[in-house]
Amino acid sequence: MSFTLHGLAVSGGIAIGQAHLMSHATLEVSHLVIAPRMVDKEVARFEAALQRVREEFAALKGRMKDTSAEFGAFIDLHSMILSDPELAETPKQLIRERRCNAEWALVQQMEILVAQFEKFDDQYLRERSYDVRQVVERVVKELVGQPGRMSLRTGKGIREENLIVVAHDLSPADVIAYKEHHFAAFVTDVGGSTSHTAILARSLRIPAVLGLLNARQLIHDGEVLIVDGTRGVLIVNPDPRILEEYRLRKSQIELERTKLRRLKTAKSVTLDGVDIDLHANIELPGDVANALDGGAEGIGLFRSEFLFLDRGDMPTEDEQFEAYRTVVKGMGGRPVTIRTFDLGYDKDLHPEKVHGDRLQSNPALGLRAIRLSLAEPKMFQTQLRAILRASKYGKIKLLIPMLSQAHEIDQTLAAIERAKSSLRGEHVGFDEAIEVGAMIEIPAAALAVGLFLRRMHFLSIGTNDLIQYTLAIDRSDEQVAALYDPLHPAVLMLLAHTIASAEKVAIPVSICGELAGDPTLTRLLLGMGLRQFSMHPAQILLVKQKIMQSNCSELAPIVRRMLRHEEPAKIREQLEKLNASV
């Protein structure tokens, strides 16, 4: 019987193959009452299981030499979760106090932790609950005598390239096995767009659909599957007509990708000779390889807070310096823009280590990003000194997030000068002329952009937050996500105003939000006057192709007329014509 499931499209492309079901340990464990004399033995059994999983993580780490940095970061995060006293110590207390079995004690504590993670407003942190479950699942496997990694046995005569892994969930350790194998795609019941499974899928560049809810239960081994990672669709046992249609689409996609690869070394210039800078957004030093492979001319946004989030405590100055230097040297003289920590109460695994225990009712509007950095001068100085030290090894630009006030700019510049002064006093070299820029992601900053143009060397528009704050919409909230509209006239007016204002005084301005990587919006942004884009490395060649087919002098008057419309539907209609006619 043929049927279709819909989930989250997290890694594009089309795969056609046979289902390969992956077994998973159940977390529905029995509650047993043990004899008093067995309590110490039960605690020892629990500790032994923890130690075996730690050793497994260490062994995986030892096999990471030829693997991207994301994998190592994910194993480090799982190791950190495993060592958290809430999982490593509290279950032992439960065993002693309630005389219960180790499996039940661990799962009870896991449910408490998962509930805490799911209360976070930040989507990235909410999805860390998956990591907690994955770590606990590995320990439960050890406790019940079913250790080891996922089964990768294939049937006789079946090639791995034709297999599509179907799982309830995949841990980073599971996905690392993909580096040794060559599956066509994978689909899971759980996981979100910012989950580690999604990030790893994009890193491996294979189609993936997550959040299918009950695919693992509905699909049988060996059934024919079509995975459409672009549309988030999984088709089970497709009829011959659908199968042939998708085979044709798969061939077309592969042909287009081959053509796009030819553009990697081509100059990013419009038909009328306007040079456009295409940079990459990265989260970790290991992303540099993908940026270069995608044809990036520089790093337009290094989200430095991921150094923090993937470990749960504050990196030292030397650790940050090494990370920044690795990126700068890896880019071989190309510019690298490092954004200072965009952290807040909702983006911190251990809030008490950063700013007390005060709970914020609305973290998105609270003490975050530059506000938190200015409130924590020691933390800020540590990061600024690390960035400045790394600037000795290549072209670094410093980007400050969420600025909205003149006094914030002045305090930030004073903090940078203090960091410079301390390094001079220690005779440590750095780029004295390092450029400092502001992120425009609050409507107030876009409307009062003159404040920033007079004080900063460059601007970078963070469209993800700018749209969210302008429209008062949390796009991770499925109840209002449909209202999140980049083509809302208010959003376009703020973009156009910022770009035009910067152009008048010859201050460089870029866009580093998701709009920059959407090829359907490239001509609109070119017509507004944008000349610098920064995006996920996978989008660079698609945007470059659009740029090379565009004429800025023709686009400018058309876009000016478009911006006079007040209805998003009308703007969308004009945008379709713009992409089709020019």
Side-chain angles (χ1 to χ4, degrees):
M1 181 183 72
S2 178
F3 60 92
T4 301
L5 298 174
H6 296 268
L8 296 172
V10 299
S11 187
I14 290 172
I16 301 171
Q18 290 179 264
H20 180 66
L21 268 60
M22 209 182 106
S23 61
H24 65 283
T26 178
L27 293 175
E28 296 177 1
V29 297
S30 300
H31 179 198
L32 305 176
V33 178
I34 60 178
R37 61 185 176 80
M38 298 297 295
V39 168
D40 287 342
K41 287 186 177 180
E42 193 67 7
V43 170
R45 189 169 75 92
F46 175 68
E47 290 177 334
L50 290 180
Q51 183 57 31
R52 286 193 296 271
V53 175
R54 288 191 190 101
E55 291 169 358
E56 183 183 353
F57 285 153
L60 284 167
K61 201 59 176 162
R63 296 164 49 212
M64 309 292 285
K65 293 178 182 177
D66 299 320
T67 309
S68 66
E70 292 98 330
F71 292 97
F74 299 154
I75 292 298
D76 287 342
L77 179 60
H78 278 212
S79 297
M80 181 194 75
I81 293 171
L82 186 66
S83 299
D84 191 307
E86 294 291 326
L87 285 182
E89 298 298 329
T90 304
K92 291 191 282 187
Q93 296 174 17
L94 287 174
I95 293 170
R96 291 191 172 100
E97 292 170 3
R98 304 191 189 185
R99 289 170 39 209
C100 60
N101 55 316
E103 297 92 332
W104 187 84
L106 178 60
V107 171
Q108 294 307 300
Q109 187 58 22
M110 177 202 73
E111 295 295 352
I112 294 172
L113 281 178
V114 166
Q116 291 173 355
F117 273 95
E118 289 177 346
K119 287 179 181 177
F120 282 113
D121 290 328
D122 183 77
Q123 185 181 4
Y124 179 89
L125 282 186
R126 280 202 308 274
E127 292 180 353
R128 298 292 66 77
S129 64
Y130 297 129
D131 295 286
V132 174
R133 288 185 182 277
Q134 288 168 351
V135 169
V136 170
E137 187 172 331
R138 299 192 81 81
V139 179
V140 169
K141 280 183 176 181
E142 290 289 343
L143 288 168
V144 300
Q146 297 176 352
R149 297 172 18 227
M150 67 179 183
S151 170
L152 299 174
R153 288 182 304 227
T154 61
K156 202 170 184 180
I158 298 176
R159 298 172 58 200
E160 286 180 349
E161 293 87 346
N162 296 328
L163 292 178
I164 294 169
V165 172
V166 181
H168 176 71
D169 196 7
L170 293 171
S171 72
D174 290 330
V175 184
I176 284 172
Y178 278 16
K179 300 300 287 186
E180 303 166 8
H181 300 267
H182 304 282
F183 294 106
F186 65 77
V187 297
T188 65
D189 292 338
V190 299
S193 59
T194 62
S195 67
H196 287 155
T197 310
I199 295 169
L200 293 173
R202 290 191 285 268
S203 172
L204 292 168
R205 298 188 179 184
I206 59 174
V209 179
L210 309 186
L212 290 163
L213 300 180
N214 54 2
R216 178 67 179 71
Q217 293 178 313
L218 296 174
I219 297 169
H220 298 94
D221 257 320
E223 288 187 309
V224 176
L225 304 180
I226 296 174
V227 178
D228 187 336
T230 304
R231 299 179 180 178
V233 172
L234 173 67
I235 303 173
V236 183
N237 294 322
D239 64 48
R241 183 180 58 82
I242 296 294
L243 192 59
E244 187 57 36
E245 178 186 332
Y246 267 93
R247 281 178 177 150
L248 179 60
R249 284 183 55 198
K250 186 172 185 288
S251 298
Q252 291 171 337
I253 289 173
E254 290 169 354
L255 181 61
E256 286 300 316
R257 283 180 175 173
T258 301
K259 290 180 180 177
L260 276 177
R261 295 298 298 171
R262 298 173 188 165
L263 297 180
K264 180 180 173 180
T265 57
K267 194 173 180 182
S268 179
V269 60
T270 64
L271 292 172
D272 54 335
V274 179
D275 290 324
I276 308 296
D277 293 328
L278 295 180
H279 293 182
N281 297 342
I282 67 170
E283 281 99 32
L284 295 166
D287 293 332
V288 167
N290 282 340
L292 293 173
D293 187 57
E297 299 161 6
I299 301 299
L301 176 64
F302 180 6
R303 298 183 174 101
S304 65
E305 64 272 8
F306 276 75
L307 299 174
F308 179 89
L309 291 173
D310 276 334
R311 53 180 286 151
D313 60 353
M314 182 58 63
T316 65
E317 180 181 320
D318 285 343
E319 287 173 324
Q320 292 187 54
F321 162 68
E322 290 295 342
Y324 304 142
R325 182 174 65 171
T326 296
V327 172
V328 171
K329 293 180 76 172
M331 289 303 293
R334 300 172 184 84
V336 174
T337 301
I338 302 175
R339 182 177 70 185
T340 58
F341 288 147
D342 187 1
L343 288 169
Y345 196 89
D346 62 332
K347 276 192 180 178
D348 178 13
L349 294 177
H350 296 287
E352 71 280 358
K353 293 184 180 178
V354 179
H355 202 75
D357 57 2
R358 181 175 59 85
L359 182 64
Q360 298 182 54
S361 59
N362 193 337
L365 302 180
L367 191 66
R368 56 163 291 203
I370 189 57
R371 300 170 183 174
L372 178 60
S373 293
L374 293 175
E376 295 289 341
K378 184 178 179 181
M379 177 185 78
F380 198 27
Q381 283 296 302
T382 297
Q383 182 173 36
L384 291 175
R385 282 173 53 91
I387 293 173
L388 288 168
R389 285 169 59 191
S391 69
K392 177 182 175 181
Y393 298 89
K395 176 66 173 176
I396 283 182
K397 299 200 288 186
L398 189 57
L399 181 60
I400 312 300
M402 209 179 172
L403 287 166
S404 63
Q405 312 275 352
H407 70 82
E408 289 175 339
I409 301 174
D410 295 338
Q411 289 176 32
T412 299
L413 295 177
I416 294 170
E417 188 52 46
R418 283 195 296 275
K420 288 182 175 180
S421 180
S422 68
L423 291 174
R424 291 189 198 105
E426 297 169 16
H427 304 290
V428 176
F430 62 91
D431 179 8
E432 288 278 0
I434 189 170
E435 295 181 16
V436 182
M439 282 202 77
I440 304 299
E441 49 191 337
I442 298 175
L447 292 170
V449 70
L451 288 173
F452 302 88
L453 294 172
R454 289 191 291 273
R455 290 170 168 84
M456 306 304 246
H457 296 103
F458 66 96
L459 302 180
S460 183
I461 306 173
T463 53
N464 298 353
D465 270 346
L466 183 62
I467 297 169
Q468 183 166 256
Y469 288 133
T470 302
L471 302 182
I473 289 166
D474 180 0
R475 62 179 179 158
S476 66
D477 183 345
E478 64 274 8
Q479 297 181 82
V480 295
L483 300 174
Y484 183 92
D485 187 2
L487 295 179
H488 191 289
V491 172
L492 296 182
M493 282 191 288
L494 291 175
L495 290 178
H497 172 66
T498 303
I499 294 169
S501 299
E503 186 180 18
K504 285 179 184 176
V505 293
I507 294 292
V509 59
S510 69
I511 285 181
C512 61
E514 288 188 20
L515 265 67
D518 186 344
T520 65
L521 300 177
T522 300
R523 284 178 172 163
L524 173 64
L525 296 173
L526 289 173
M528 286 184 183
L530 187 70
R531 300 296 180 259
Q532 290 185 21
F533 296 67
S534 189
M535 65 201 75
H536 189 283
Q539 298 300 113
I540 290 175
L541 295 182
L542 283 168
V543 172
K544 182 187 282 191
Q545 182 183 53
K546 203 73 173 179
I547 288 168
M548 295 173 70
Q549 297 169 345
S550 302
N551 186 312
C552 287
S553 59
E554 292 180 3
L555 288 171
I558 297 173
V559 170
R560 279 197 297 271
R561 290 194 295 272
M562 281 179 61
L563 296 178
R564 295 175 191 155
H565 294 292
E566 295 182 347
E567 289 291 333
K570 189 67 175 176
I571 294 172
R572 193 165 279 105
E573 177 187 319
Q574 294 299 310
L575 182 62
E576 290 176 2
K577 292 181 180 178
L578 183 70
N579 283 319
S581 62
V582 178

